Amino acid sequence: MQAVIGLLVMMLGASYGLETHCDCRQDGAHCFGPLGGTAVLQLMDRALETERYKLYKSSDKTTLILTVINNKIVNNFIQNRSSFNLGDGKFRVNNLSRTDSDEYHFEISDGINIKENRSLRLTIQAPVSSARLASECLSQGEKRVSCSSGGGDSPQYNWTLDGRSLTDTELLSVNTETNSITLRQHVSGAVACSVENNVSRFCGFTFIKCTSNETQISQWVFAANNMLCFEPTTPPTTISESSTVAHHSLLVCGVRAAVVVFALIGIAVYFAWKNKNYKKAEGSAYRPEREHQDESVVMVEM
């Protein structure tokens, strides 16, 4: 089971499908792109027919990447993995590699004079692929939790307890070399470690409780890429995230089904009551004069 979960975590951490966005409409923008993923560069609001645009790679403008003249793409030398949208001014580059890390220059002119010349820096980073937690109970009831990432460039680690920052009364020590923390004796709950860099983020959770006469540890890992971390509110009953999701889905479906059933019952009761009052009013109005005819009409309607 652990091997299967580890494989799923690695699959979720793959860089394929990752996408970053960067506003390059100001000079000196620093953009980051995921290795193997996509970077979307906002070069302008939209292309104008009266202006010409050129995008160069390298600081000395030796490599021309893109040329737009009269609102038409004249050249795109990496068109096999990129596209430029004239309507919104976004340049999308796919399948990023380490060689894409460089300084770029974007030039705007009227065909004769250069109106604007902007530079931007694009840095390609390998995304983190997982957040692995390990926890243990110490002899005096303290809890030590360590966190490690599955690859990734320049990972940063952050800790929370039940969705909030740890306080000095809860935290005994922090070891930045091993990316581990030690919690005091009275502390228990959902400890979360987020591992992130400029192109990705993963979160791991562990629920740990230690007592003086016995050790009780339960933990599981939840991976999320480019998403916020969602902390659990109760201890997990299984290490499998899929089971937790399935139970939650069944609960939601059950609640929705109950709402529908009660709504149908309410509608049926309302129409039955309305029909009963209608018949009562009709009978009181006509029964003394046309009793037999009313009964025949009711039978026909039924």
Side-chain angles (χ1 to χ4, degrees):
M1 179 63 70
Q2 292 181 352
V4 173
I5 293 175
L7 178 61
L8 290 175
V9 169
M10 292 299 293
M11 291 174 62
L12 288 172
S15 58
Y16 300 103
L18 285 184
E19 186 175 286
T20 58
H21 293 254
C22 185
D23 190 350
C24 307
R25 289 173 292 185
Q26 299 294 327
D27 185 37
H30 191 180
C31 306
F32 294 88
L35 182 64
T38 301
V40 180
L41 308 178
Q42 182 79 58
L43 298 178
M44 69 193 85
D45 294 328
R46 64 184 180 90
L48 302 177
E49 293 185 3
T50 57
E51 295 180 342
R52 298 185 178 187
Y53 308 95
K54 291 184 179 181
L55 180 65
Y56 296 91
K57 182 182 178 182
S58 73
S59 58
D60 56 358
K61 298 184 179 181
T62 56
T63 305
L64 181 62
I65 300 295
L66 178 70
T67 303
V68 178
I69 300 176
N70 296 329
N71 212 15
K72 293 182 180 180
I73 300 174
V74 178
N75 293 310
N76 183 359
F77 292 97
I78 54 172
Q79 61 181 354
N80 60 328
R81 61 185 184 95
S82 69
S83 63
F84 180 68
N85 191 320
L86 297 169
D88 59 15
K90 293 181 179 180
F91 186 54
R92 178 185 297 268
V93 184
N94 305 310
N95 193 23
L96 294 168
S97 64
R98 297 285 188 184
T99 58
D100 291 317
S101 291
D102 208 328
E103 184 177 345
Y104 292 77
H105 284 269
F106 184 62
E107 182 181 284
I108 303 175
S109 69
D110 58 8
I112 300 176
N113 301 315
I114 297 178
K115 299 173 61 177
E116 191 174 351
N117 190 2
R118 291 189 250 120
S119 65
L120 66 98
R121 165 68 61 177
L122 177 62
T123 301
I124 307 303
Q125 284 189 340
V128 295
S129 60
S130 65
R132 304 186 183 96
L133 281 83
S135 55
E136 61 176 326
C137 295
L138 304 180
S139 59
Q140 301 299 321
E142 300 91 350
K143 303 92 178 170
R144 179 182 294 129
V145 186
S146 60
C147 183
S148 61
S149 63
D153 294 330
S154 305
Q156 301 292 323
Y157 298 85
N158 295 291
W159 297 89
T160 59
L161 176 65
D162 294 330
R164 57 176 176 77
S165 301
L166 288 162
T167 63
D168 293 337
T169 59
E170 298 167 333
L171 196 60
L172 187 62
S173 63
V174 178
N175 191 326
T176 56
E177 294 182 359
T178 60
N179 301 314
S180 63
I181 59 173
T182 303
L183 303 175
R184 298 183 185 275
Q185 293 90 335
H186 68 282
V187 180
S188 64
V191 180
C193 168
S194 65
V195 186
E196 60 184 314
N197 57 13
N198 293 287
V199 298
S200 62
R201 185 186 190 193
F202 263 88
C203 298
F205 300 101
T206 177
F207 187 91
I208 181 171
K209 179 181 180 181
C210 303
T211 58
S212 57
N213 56 355
E214 61 178 331
T215 300
Q216 299 175 352
I217 301 177
S218 58
Q219 87 172 28
W220 81 108
V221 173
F222 170 76
N225 216 353
N226 275 344
M227 296 174 61
L228 296 177
C229 302
F230 297 92
E231 283 76 10
T233 56
T234 57
T237 56
T238 175
I239 192 172
S240 174
E241 179 196 352
S242 59
S243 299
T244 305
V245 175
H247 293 163
H248 176 71
S249 300
L250 290 175
L251 177 61
V252 172
C253 292
V255 172
R256 290 179 178 176
V259 171
V260 173
V261 170
F262 282 116
L264 292 176
I265 293 175
I267 294 172
V269 171
Y270 171 77
F271 280 103
W273 171 81
K274 186 176 181 180
N275 189 36
K276 181 179 179 181
N277 289 343
Y278 174 79
K279 290 182 177 180
K280 183 183 293 185
E282 186 182 30
S284 61
Y286 296 100
R287 187 172 299 275
E289 299 179 5
R290 304 173 60 184
E291 180 177 357
H292 299 288
Q293 184 176 355
D294 288 343
E295 291 176 354
S296 64
V297 172
V298 172
M299 291 178 64
V300 171
E301 289 180 348
M302 292 176 62

